[in-house]
Amino acid sequence: MGPLNNTTGGSNILGTDICQLYFIFRYETKLSNGFRGFLYFLALAYCFIGLSAITARFFRSMENVVKHTRTVEEIDPCTNNKIIRQYKVWNYTIADISLLAFGTSFPQISLATIDAIRNLGNLYAGGLGPGTLVGSAAFDLFPIHAVCVVVPKAGELKKISDIGVWLVELFWSFWAYVWLYIILEVWTPNVITLWEALFTVLQYGLLLLHAYAQDKRLPYLSLPIPRSDRPEDWVPAETELDKDGTLTAHDTHSDILDDEHGNREIVDIFGIHNGDRDFAYRNLSSSDITEPSDEYHEEIPKIDNLLAIWKQQFFDACVLESPQSKKSNNKCLRTAKAFWELLLAPWRVLFAFIPPCHIAHGWVSFILSLIFISGIAYIVTKLTDLISCVTGINSYIIAFTALAAGTSWPDLVASKIAAERQITADSAIANITCSNSVNIYVGIGVPWLIDTLYNFIAYKEPLRIENASGLSFSLLVFFATSVCCIGVLVFRRLTLGAELGGPRFWAWTTCVYFILLWLVFVVLSSLRVSGII
């Protein structure tokens, strides 16, 4: 790959100076800036397709991690029978905030961390990472909410059942951006000190502790808000899914679903919320207490089976699907699906190297998926430099528009599936608010901690923020528009009784309103960075 940090080349206006940076071959500099910009945008879009291709595998491995249980044998004091309880290792609220929110935000976190590492030695922090994370927060809050509102069936209402946990998550989400503005403009304007970066990261731990306390309703640490009654199964039964005609369950306990074409790449990423919140149990007779039932033991495939599954991954990746459905007679649709399969094929072959998610309760697959996401994020940062160089578009504008939307794809997938399949709106909306918190506390906090620590050791100097005024302005616009967004959700709760779904007219009206809020954020932030306002 070419030396993209070469300082000898650059272009401010499309079609004038020739950008001397290149992606793979030096011959690229012989092409016109306009044609190169087109090619680099296509490459950037293809990277986003790669992120979408790895999303299902990442979620499947995350499910195995979160569904891990530990077996405890107890004696029923009433019947003296042994009871086997399966306690979930992960609290589902903590899983939402840590694994789910962290995982879906990992493309942005990786991009920001890579941007920080390559800027080590500079007194100024790069604006690519913070711009992407703030833009991602806006994309999460507005377009993803817009999609989730219209996803339920006409007239179907889905509301948040645990308002207390949502309010805690919402508070920390808002505070994250208030805190960021304070350290940028109030305490140490345009400068980030080591302790500010460190405290930013530590606040993520405070979020986890506060959310756990609220979920468990710990005294003095939680809001006195009762939890609404939840159905025994958060995910609708198989018969209910079949009414839609577009999504059917593979079996009653499967985490992988069939779509209308028989494609088993759709993952029930929220199966971890099924049944009892903390444990399941059954009574055993005296003749049945030697070994716990297989019902409560995760089946661990043998080595031969794992190798067979891994081999099947490569086989499936190399075979182009030709699904049969009612719509398959449409020639245009068949052509589009074939073209999409061809685009995905290289990514699917690459990701087939990730081991099956059955190993170590999914941890190996989970970690390797994050590593692959980091690799794609690295390529994205390089392409962003090139696009900015050949087009003259400010990299900050590219960051909070194209990069934010592309890297937020896993967030969109996660919330959309939750809004479709869960009876309540908890995880669909919690994923948005938690991801926004993670964007600041981890996505910005960790890269700034790396840079400030290096500067403190090497130069005894704080970290200066490039384009701090533009970032602060974007924070103000985001905060104002986010208040308008949350206000509408509260209004829907008071009038319709739920945050998501409802009559199609009001659902689509809310959807359009959220999209307009996002456009307001993008336009105003772009004008500010361009110096127009």
Side-chain angles (χ1 to χ4, degrees):
M1 188 173 295
L4 296 180
N5 287 327
N6 186 349
T7 59
T8 62
S11 173
N12 294 321
I13 302 175
L14 182 62
T16 56
D17 300 332
I18 298 299
C19 176
Q20 298 301 315
L21 307 183
Y22 58 92
F23 184 53
I24 300 177
F25 305 110
R26 188 176 295 276
Y27 179 76
E28 296 171 23
T29 59
K30 304 296 182 181
L31 303 175
S32 68
N33 282 346
F35 184 61
R36 291 175 65 190
F38 172 73
L39 292 179
Y40 297 146
F41 267 116
L42 286 182
L44 187 65
Y46 195 61
C47 287
F48 295 152
I49 292 176
L51 288 176
S52 69
I54 199 174
T55 296
R57 185 175 297 275
F58 163 75
F59 283 144
R60 192 178 296 116
S61 62
M62 189 199 70
E63 273 195 319
N64 276 29
V65 171
V66 177
K67 291 170 67 176
H68 181 209
T69 61
R70 57 186 178 91
T71 303
V72 177
E73 292 187 8
E74 300 176 354
I75 301 295
D76 189 331
C78 299
T79 63
N80 289 326
N81 289 336
K82 280 195 174 182
I83 298 175
I84 293 181
R85 294 183 185 268
Q86 290 291 345
Y87 286 92
K88 294 177 181 177
V89 175
W90 284 86
N91 172 272
Y92 90 91
T93 296
I94 299 301
D96 277 347
I97 300 175
S98 55
L99 295 181
L100 180 59
F102 180 81
T104 55
S105 298
F106 199 74
Q108 303 95 301
I109 296 172
S110 299
L111 192 149
T113 305
I114 292 170
D115 187 45
I117 293 175
R118 67 178 185 164
N119 278 285
L120 285 177
N122 296 330
L123 292 180
Y124 281 87
L128 186 63
T132 301
L133 289 160
V134 174
S136 174
F139 188 88
D140 286 351
L141 195 62
F142 305 129
I144 296 183
H145 264 128
V147 171
C148 290
V149 166
V150 298
V151 158
K153 301 174 186 178
E156 185 180 14
L157 293 171
K158 297 187 178 183
K159 67 178 182 179
I160 299 172
S161 64
D162 198 334
I163 289 293
V165 170
W166 179 67
L167 288 177
V168 168
E169 295 167 345
L170 186 64
F171 165 78
W172 284 100
S173 176
F174 271 94
W175 167 248
Y177 293 90
V178 173
W179 164 253
L180 191 59
Y181 183 83
I182 290 174
I183 62 178
L184 282 174
E185 295 292 337
V186 180
W187 283 348
T188 55
N190 304 328
V191 167
I192 301 298
T193 62
L194 178 60
W195 78 267
E196 288 174 335
L198 180 60
F199 188 60
T200 300
V201 176
L202 292 179
Q203 287 182 82
Y204 179 60
L206 295 179
L207 163 62
L208 291 174
L209 292 175
H210 194 183
Y212 181 80
Q214 182 63 43
D215 181 66
K216 294 299 184 180
R217 296 303 192 272
L218 299 181
Y220 308 112
L221 297 176
S222 61
L223 299 173
I225 300 177
R227 180 184 290 114
S228 301
D229 292 335
R230 289 177 178 152
E232 183 176 353
D233 289 326
W234 281 39
V235 180
E238 182 176 359
T239 54
E240 296 178 4
L241 289 172
D242 288 339
K243 294 177 183 177
D244 182 74
T246 60
L247 195 65
T248 57
H250 181 69
D251 58 60
T252 57
H253 300 290
S254 177
D255 301 324
I256 306 175
L257 310 175
D258 290 337
D259 65 4
E260 57 184 297
H261 310 301
N263 180 13
R264 288 173 50 77
E265 289 299 314
I266 300 177
V267 182
D268 174 17
I269 62 174
F270 297 96
I272 59 175
H273 299 314
N274 286 359
D276 191 275
R277 289 168 45 82
D278 296 313
F279 60 84
Y281 70 91
R282 70 185 181 98
N283 292 328
L284 300 177
S285 64
S286 58
S287 61
D288 195 26
I289 63 176
T290 56
E291 285 292 333
S293 169
D294 288 341
E295 180 182 354
Y296 296 99
H297 272 268
E298 182 180 358
E299 183 178 353
I300 308 297
K302 298 182 181 297
I303 297 298
D304 292 341
N305 291 341
L306 288 174
L307 293 177
I309 295 172
W310 205 344
K311 180 180 178 180
Q312 186 65 33
Q313 287 183 181
F314 284 96
F315 178 79
D316 292 340
C318 296
V319 175
L320 298 181
E321 299 287 344
S322 56
Q324 300 295 324
S325 69
K326 298 178 181 178
K327 300 179 181 179
S328 62
N329 293 328
N330 188 316
K331 184 177 180 180
C332 293
L333 184 61
R334 291 202 310 269
T335 302
K337 288 183 177 297
F339 179 70
W340 180 253
E341 288 289 331
L342 286 173
L343 285 178
L344 284 177
W347 291 116
R348 292 171 62 182
V349 172
L350 178 63
F351 298 148
F353 285 94
I354 299 176
C357 60
H358 306 80
I359 302 175
H361 302 293
W363 276 109
V364 175
S365 178
F366 181 84
I367 293 173
L368 287 180
S369 295
L370 296 184
I371 292 175
F372 271 80
I373 290 174
S374 297
I376 298 176
Y378 175 77
I379 297 175
V380 166
T381 60
K382 301 299 185 181
L383 289 171
T384 304
D385 288 340
L386 284 164
I387 292 172
S388 179
C389 181
V390 300
T391 64
I393 301 175
N394 189 294
S395 60
Y396 185 77
I397 296 178
I398 300 174
F400 67 72
T401 53
L403 294 190
T407 56
S408 293
W409 180 258
D411 287 318
L412 176 61
V413 172
S415 291
K416 178 179 179 293
I417 293 176
E420 284 177 331
R421 301 209 61 241
Q422 284 195 328
I423 297 174
T424 69
D426 291 71
S427 287
I429 295 179
N431 178 54
I432 297 171
T433 53
C434 293
S435 294
N436 286 353
S437 299
V438 171
N439 282 346
I440 297 299
Y441 300 132
V442 180
I444 291 182
V446 170
W448 279 356
L449 183 59
I450 294 173
D451 281 343
T452 54
L453 184 60
Y454 182 89
N455 285 2
F456 179 79
I457 295 174
Y459 309 116
K460 304 297 181 182
E461 292 282 344
L463 180 67
R464 294 178 175 85
I465 303 301
E466 184 180 13
N467 194 24
S469 61
L471 182 60
S472 300
F473 180 82
S474 295
L475 289 171
L476 289 176
V477 175
F478 173 75
F479 188 83
T481 50
S482 61
V483 170
C484 297
C485 174
I486 300 301
V488 168
L489 291 178
V490 173
F491 180 76
R492 285 176 54 87
R493 176 75 175 226
L494 296 177
T495 56
L496 300 177
E499 290 80 12
L500 305 182
R504 300 310 283 174
F505 174 78
W506 293 113
W508 279 104
T509 300
T510 307
C511 174
V512 172
Y513 174 74
F514 288 159
I515 294 297
L516 289 177
L517 288 178
W518 182 64
L519 292 177
V520 168
F521 168 82
V522 170
V523 170
L524 291 181
S525 297
S526 299
L527 293 177
R528 175 70 175 191
V529 172
S530 301
I532 298 177
I533 60 175

